[in-house]
Amino acid sequence: MTSLNGDVAWDDFNPREYVRRNYLFRHPDDEEILSLVRDHFSDHFRKSSGRVGSGIDVGAGPNLYPALALLPWCDRITLLERSLPNVRYLREQRDSFGDIWDKFWDVLCKEEAYRALGADPRVRFREAVDVRKGDIFDLGRRAERWDLGTMFFVAESITESLDQFRLGVAAFMTALKPGAPFAAAFMENSKGYYVDGRQFPATGIGKEDVRSALKGYSDDVCIRRLGTPDDLREGYTGMIVAYGRRDG
């Protein structure tokens, strides 16, 4: 039986265990993703006004580095998350995030716009971030739209249904204003994952699935597969990063 997003006990998710297993060290694949996203946003805003009003990280989970990647570029950042334990974790981290995230900030600071915020971005993070409890699939029913967006390891990591994966990507893209720059990351061929002894679902997707899901939302998109056997953690075959601009 296919496990759908609504079947999952997301309030049993343990964010601290997830962070300990995935972000205690800076893995090469995360560093490469963060570098690509950093350069994409920096290049975009160098050619435009340099700042927008609002950004969103959809399905933030306990991962702070997508929000850090948004930090120089928008006045307000919404972290949208369904799981109540993750929401609580994010609100704690908003007030003063742990030093585990400093090594990810160091990657971003190779670009001047990030360095300009200083070696410690905690004050700016606290001022900018708003944590909201919400479901990705409700985004299309909201009137609100954002100027900039990220979605990391979400649409393929909340369901075993390819159709629901596509709906998740569509919900993310629909939440963005025309012309909004975006970045999304996906696990390739994920078999699902365990957190603190509990199993969570995933959809086994590849580059062409990502391309198909984005069709109609962005003609200006770069899709890259990352990862070598030495870089990878158990349970997937690589990572896929898509970045570009929402069609106008």
Side-chain angles (χ1 to χ4, degrees):
M1 181 176 176
T2 300
S3 178
L4 301 178
N5 181 58
D7 301 327
V8 182
W10 291 110
D11 287 348
D12 291 339
F13 196 93
N14 185 334
R16 296 185 188 282
E17 176 62 14
Y18 186 83
V19 169
R20 186 192 70 78
R21 290 189 61 185
N22 291 282
Y23 300 116
L24 188 60
F25 304 101
R26 191 178 70 202
H27 292 268
D29 43 8
D30 288 313
E31 183 171 351
E32 189 170 4
I33 288 171
L34 202 50
S35 298
L36 288 169
V37 173
R38 173 200 69 204
D39 293 347
H40 169 55
F41 288 154
S42 297
D43 290 346
H44 173 87
F45 285 105
R46 265 195 294 266
K47 298 170 185 174
S48 62
S49 60
R51 196 176 185 86
V52 292
S54 63
I56 186 169
D57 183 33
V58 173
N63 180 7
L64 297 193
Y65 77 62
L68 292 173
L70 297 173
L71 207 53
W73 311 119
C74 45
D75 297 325
R76 302 176 309 282
I77 300 170
T78 298
L79 304 187
L80 185 76
E81 172 57 36
R82 175 174 177 170
S83 165
L84 186 56
N86 285 343
V87 168
R88 290 172 179 152
Y89 175 85
L90 290 169
R91 286 175 176 161
E92 292 170 5
Q93 296 296 302
R94 176 188 57 196
D95 293 336
S96 183
F97 58 77
D99 58 9
I100 193 172
W101 301 105
D102 290 341
K103 56 186 170 290
F104 297 98
W105 182 247
D106 291 343
V107 175
L108 293 166
C109 281
K110 293 178 182 179
E111 275 286 346
E112 173 58 33
Y114 295 91
R115 289 197 301 275
L117 294 181
D120 185 352
R122 286 169 176 80
V123 172
R124 172 76 187 119
F125 192 86
R126 185 165 58 246
E127 293 171 346
V129 165
D130 173 34
V131 180
R132 296 190 198 175
K133 189 176 188 308
D135 191 318
I136 183 175
F137 298 109
D138 291 334
L139 282 172
R141 293 188 283 272
R142 293 172 179 254
E144 188 173 8
R145 295 290 180 267
W146 285 266
D147 300 298
L148 172 66
T150 52
M151 181 180 69
F152 279 33
F153 318 122
V154 179
E156 82 289 7
S157 300
I158 57 175
T159 180
E160 292 177 346
S161 163
L162 184 58
D163 287 341
Q164 204 165 53
F165 160 76
R166 292 173 179 143
L167 289 172
V169 174
F172 168 59
M173 296 302 291
T174 301
L176 302 178
K177 293 179 182 177
F182 70 88
F186 308 89
M187 297 290 188
E188 179 189 62
N189 296 320
S190 177
K191 295 176 171 46
Y193 53 106
Y194 285 87
V195 181
D196 201 17
R198 294 183 180 273
Q199 186 174 15
F200 293 90
T203 311
I205 56 97
K207 274 182 68 174
E208 291 311 308
D209 296 302
V210 173
R211 191 180 308 280
S212 176
L214 288 168
K215 188 175 181 180
Y217 295 102
S218 178
D219 290 328
D220 181 15
V221 60
C222 178
I223 301 174
R224 294 184 56 173
R225 183 195 179 278
L226 310 176
T228 66
D230 292 338
D231 297 336
L232 301 179
R233 287 158 276 183
E234 186 178 355
Y236 64 100
T237 59
M239 290 188 177
I240 299 165
V241 184
Y243 52 92
R245 284 185 293 274
R246 173 79 160 91
D247 284 350

